[in-house]
Amino acid sequence: MQSPLSQNEHAAIARYLSGIKKQLQDVSDLFRTRYGQGSRITEGALRTLASIACLEQDFELLEKPQEEVLAAAEEVVSSRSN
């Protein structure tokens, strides 16, 4: 599968996703400190952080050879079902 993005666009999106993940990590850390690990707001922040981490991982797979993508996809599916 060929990526519809240029190399520059792909690199820019990867940087954006990384930045978003870092910001969400900071927010979830703050919420955990202020409201506790089990609070609803902390759990929501952690779910959002997990979602961006999955999106970032899926995006990185776009540039890998097909065999690597299939193996990684199987890993992602099995880890998400646990």
Side-chain angles (χ1 to χ4, degrees), residues 21-51:
K21 186 172 78 173
K22 171 68 173 113
Q23 291 174 338
L24 287 171
Q25 180 66 58
D26 293 345
V27 167
S28 66
D29 289 347
L30 175 65
F31 287 167
R32 184 177 24 248
T33 300
R34 298 286 171 91
Y35 302 110
Q37 179 66 32
S39 70
R40 184 176 175 161
I41 191 77
T42 300
E43 289 177 0
L46 290 171
R47 282 192 304 275
T48 304
L49 177 60
S51 293

Side-chain angles (χ1 to χ4, degrees), residues 9-82:
E9 291 169 324
H10 187 88
I13 294 297
R15 284 191 307 272
Y16 296 150
L17 291 174
S18 178
I20 291 167
K21 186 172 78 173
K22 171 68 173 113
Q23 291 174 338
L24 287 171
Q25 180 66 58
D26 293 345
V27 167
S28 66
D29 289 347
L30 175 65
F31 287 167
R32 184 177 24 248
T33 300
R34 298 286 171 91
Y35 302 110
Q37 179 66 32
S39 70
R40 184 176 175 161
I41 191 77
T42 300
E43 289 177 0
L46 290 171
R47 282 192 304 275
T48 304
L49 177 60
S51 293
I52 193 67
C54 289
L55 178 60
E56 184 180 41
Q57 183 179 19
D58 291 347
F59 184 73
E60 288 173 6
L61 293 176
L62 292 175
E63 293 299 308
K64 293 189 178 187
Q66 188 67 26
E67 298 80 31
E68 288 182 44
V69 170
L70 292 174
E74 288 176 5
E75 267 185 53
V76 168
V77 167
S78 68
S79 70
R80 287 182 183 171
S81 63
N82 291 332

Side-chain angles (χ1 to χ4, degrees), residues 5-12 63:
L5 301 175
S6 71
Q7 278 187 315
N8 289 342
E9 291 169 324
H10 187 88
E63 293 299 308

